[in-house]
Amino acid sequence: MLRIQITKRQDGNGVLRCVRADGSVTWQKQERHAAFFALHDLTHFAVESTLGFRRGFYGLLAEGWDVEDTTGKGARGPLPNQAVEVEVLVGSLDAERAGGATWSADEFNDCTALAASNSSRPMPRRLTDQDLERVRARRDELFAEWFALPRGGTLELSYEFAQC
């Protein structure tokens, strides 16, 4: 299990802190674009927990990766394909949200395929309308909790992942 804490600081910045099952911690202060990163991190949680990804962003942190390693440029080297797939899916959901529209599964899958092909990333799995409905519903719940959180408050989540 990974305990995830996202704090909305008084100054408008954020802090992502993740506590692993063994008690070790990785964290990141989010200064530039703090509002975006909180929503991006919550979208990661919705995608990974709803669709059962084991080696996305939070799965890697639970395994012992540090936040800075998840850029693919850290000591652990390139990201596993599943983490890259999750990033493409989350990025597409971020783009959808920024555009203010809700895409059909076909539109969403076209966007993820284009994003993958433009960056030489692995092609993500195709999602169904039902997959997207479940992810969006969970993301919307998380966003509502985040927006209701006062400055200085912390949103806490538990990420369960399948062990190998």
Side-chain angles (χ1 to χ4, degrees):
M1 183 187 72
L2 183 72
R3 197 165 29 118
I4 301 161
Q5 302 166 327
I6 305 174
T7 300
K8 189 185 290 185
R9 292 173 36 124
Q10 294 290 347
D11 62 7
N13 292 330
V15 175
L16 170 67
R17 182 175 186 268
C18 297
V19 182
R20 299 179 190 97
D22 67 4
S24 63
V25 175
T26 186
W27 66 279
Q28 177 182 54
K29 185 175 178 183
Q30 301 161 331
E31 294 174 317
R32 292 187 63 208
H33 313 292
F36 167 80
F37 278 108
L39 300 180
H40 180 79
D41 292 344
L42 292 170
T43 302
H44 262 281
F45 186 86
V47 167
E48 293 177 41
S49 62
T50 302
L51 298 177
F53 283 100
R54 190 183 67 73
R55 297 201 77 211
F57 177 69
Y58 290 115
L60 295 179
L61 297 181
E63 285 180 17
W65 290 50
D66 286 322
V67 173
E68 55 272 3
D69 290 334
T70 64
T71 63
K73 298 173 186 168
R76 293 194 179 249
L79 294 174
N81 284 344
Q82 192 175 97
V84 174
E85 178 183 5
V86 167
E87 197 59 51
V88 169
L89 295 172
V90 170
S92 294
L93 284 162
D94 287 343
E96 176 190 65
R97 180 175 46 83
T102 301
W103 298 337
S104 69
D106 286 338
E107 292 168 322
F108 184 85
N109 290 321
D110 288 348
C111 178
T112 60
L114 181 62
S117 67
N118 284 343
S119 62
S120 302
R121 293 178 169 174
M123 191 66 66
R125 71 177 79 168
R126 293 186 59 80
L127 300 183
T128 66
D129 283 314
Q130 294 77 20
D131 292 332
L132 287 168
E133 286 172 20
R134 289 182 11 250
V135 169
R136 289 179 185 129
R138 182 64 177 128
R139 181 194 60 187
D140 291 349
E141 291 169 1
L142 294 168
F143 283 7
E145 289 181 51
W146 178 252
F147 291 131
L149 192 69
R151 284 188 181 224
T154 299
L155 179 60
E156 293 200 32
L157 303 166
S158 292
Y159 176 71
E160 300 286 339
F161 64 101
Q163 294 282 349
C164 289

